[in-house]
Amino acid sequence: MYLKHFNKARDQLNNALELNRHDLTYMMLGKIHLLEGEVDKAIEVYKKAVEFSPENTDLLTALGLLYLQTGDYQKAFEHLGNALTYDPGNYKATLAAGSMMQAHGDFDVALSKYKVVAGAVPESPPLWNNIGMCFFGKKKYVAAISCLKRANYLAPFDWKILYNLGLVHLTMQQYASAFHFLSAAISFQPKMGELYMLLAVALTNLEDIENAKCSYEQAVALDKCNPLINLNYAVLLYNQGDKEGALSQYQEMERRVSAAKESSAPDFDPEMVEVAQKMGAALQVGESLVWTKPSKESKSKQRAAVSGKSSSSQQPLGSNQALGQAMSSAAGYGKTMQLPSGAGTPALPAKRPSLPLEPEQDLETSPEESSAPAGDVEQGKEEHRSQQGVE
């Protein structure tokens, strides 16, 4: 396995199970499937392992984390609960349970769980990442940054922690610091479109329009699904007087929204819908039929951003910045994040980004959030969403 000869390792482990079933054999076989990105097969292996050894808390926790990453919260809760029943001091299960509560906005309950975990593993990067995101959801930004900085000190190469630091600094309108952390995150995760979108937002607020455009172009090239990138880019181009380019991005955004509606039933943020409708009116294309009217309970208020470079004939479009959500799985993550935008910048995704769980060699998950989303964040009078991590 350590030589990366996964096929041979899998064959030998299957032979071993035929001769004599053992907990460790199941664990290693499941780990090989995870290393190969076969999450479903890993779940099947762990299910058989739990049937063979129903009181093994490591197996129960590993299976619960995998269910958490795939979005099956009911089964995740069941297996993590069983693990805690047999071993109340199991910090991995406790951390995952706290992450689930955090994902549903119960920040105080989640923090109480993390307090228990801190006694067992005080130097855990995922723990401090999640604590920081809890404070972020409670709109205690200074405390959030303090905890995230500690997580970053313990795991300086974890791009998810750097991503969260970038989000918090964007929310606090500290754009130079946001640029620093987002650039660092991109150096570790250069293929993630949302990171370039966030970077473009920071650059826009730093009045580096040319580089912001380059960053948006890179985001559009890397991410073929997220309509928020195109919407944000369209707003930037419109505010710079490029109505033709803005229209092109707006039409691409509509195409992506239509494709998303055909494949699933996405939950678009009301603010994003409002900005898209205003953008359509400004470009004289009317309100797009792909959008539904935002609910009156929209939590964020829209405001026009003033741009000194806008022509007198067109008012700059702007919206309060929203942070997006990225759901993750054991071997990878799915993306749907929203980003904050700056003066005269665009609107963003509707849900909170969460960090992936990636069981490591000892069956711990990577320093990110359990595949559950983190909390809301408010910039000025608006709400933003964040990410969290689970070990």
Side-chain angles (χ1 to χ4, degrees), residues 263-312:
S263 61
S264 62
D267 182 18
F268 294 110
D269 186 85
E271 180 187 4
M272 173 183 171
V273 177
E274 290 178 18
V275 174
Q277 290 176 332
K278 286 191 175 185
M279 191 70 194
L283 294 171
Q284 298 179 348
V285 295
E287 294 186 358
S288 174
L289 297 179
V290 300
W291 299 105
T292 57
K293 279 197 172 184
S295 66
K296 295 180 181 179
E297 299 176 355
S298 173
K299 295 180 180 178
S300 40
K301 299 180 181 179
Q302 201 120 15
R303 68 183 175 194
V306 179
S307 171
K309 298 183 180 180
S310 302
S311 65
S312 58

Side-chain angles (χ1 to χ4, degrees), residues 43-304:
I43 289 177
E44 290 302 317
V45 170
Y46 285 123
K47 283 172 65 177
K48 292 179 182 178
V50 169
E51 291 175 2
F52 170 70
S53 183
E55 296 185 11
N56 187 313
T57 57
D58 288 334
L59 290 173
L60 287 168
T61 300
L63 183 56
L65 291 176
L66 288 176
Y67 278 128
L68 194 60
Q69 296 168 21
T70 56
D72 193 339
Y73 298 111
Q74 183 61 39
K75 291 183 178 179
F77 184 81
E78 176 186 343
H79 287 87
L80 292 172
N82 289 339
L84 290 172
T85 298
Y86 293 119
D87 180 13
N90 189 319
Y91 72 88
K92 296 179 190 176
T94 304
L95 182 59
S99 178
M100 291 180 66
M101 296 168 187
Q102 181 175 350
H104 290 84
D106 296 330
F107 302 118
D108 291 327
V109 178
L111 285 171
S112 68
K113 294 291 184 183
Y114 296 149
K115 183 177 180 180
V116 175
V117 177
V121 283
E123 309 252 318
S124 167
L127 170 64
W128 289 105
N129 181 64
N130 278 15
I131 292 175
M133 288 301 99
C134 273
F135 284 125
F136 187 48
K138 290 165 67 69
K139 300 175 178 59
K140 297 182 178 179
Y141 304 131
V142 175
I145 288 178
S146 177
C147 293
L148 288 171
K149 287 284 185 70
R150 179 165 184 174
N152 179 240
Y153 172 79
L154 295 170
F157 304 122
D158 190 333
W159 71 268
K160 300 159 213 162
I161 296 173
L162 294 167
Y163 173 90
N164 283 338
L165 278 165
L167 290 182
V168 179
H169 282 292
L170 277 175
T171 303
M172 297 182 71
Q173 299 182 8
Q174 297 174 348
Y175 303 114
S177 295
F179 173 83
H180 167 75
F181 289 112
L182 292 170
S183 297
I186 287 174
S187 66
F188 296 114
Q189 194 73 13
K191 301 297 183 182
M192 186 175 181
E194 285 82 357
L195 281 171
Y196 288 95
M197 180 173 68
L198 286 169
L199 187 66
V201 170
L203 288 167
T204 301
N205 284 278
L206 292 172
E207 299 183 359
D208 189 348
I209 304 302
E210 290 305 314
N211 282 322
K213 290 180 180 179
C214 292
S215 189
Y216 274 127
E217 289 290 347
Q218 187 71 8
V220 170
L222 290 172
D223 194 320
K224 304 297 184 182
C225 301
N226 191 346
L228 294 173
I229 296 175
N230 302 98
L231 178 58
N232 277 346
Y233 193 13
V235 172
L236 174 64
L237 293 174
Y238 179 85
N239 288 340
Q240 295 302 310
D242 185 359
K243 295 187 68 174
E244 183 178 349
L247 179 60
S248 174
Q249 291 300 321
Y250 184 83
Q251 291 172 339
E252 174 64 15
M253 176 208 66
E254 287 188 316
R255 187 192 65 77
R256 293 186 178 188
V257 168
S258 299
K261 285 194 170 185
E262 290 176 3
S263 61
S264 62
D267 182 18
F268 294 110
D269 186 85
E271 180 187 4
M272 173 183 171
V273 177
E274 290 178 18
V275 174
Q277 290 176 332
K278 286 191 175 185
M279 191 70 194
L283 294 171
Q284 298 179 348
V285 295
E287 294 186 358
S288 174
L289 297 179
V290 300
W291 299 105
T292 57
K293 279 197 172 184
S295 66
K296 295 180 181 179
E297 299 176 355
S298 173
K299 295 180 180 178
S300 40
K301 299 180 181 179
Q302 201 120 15
R303 68 183 175 194

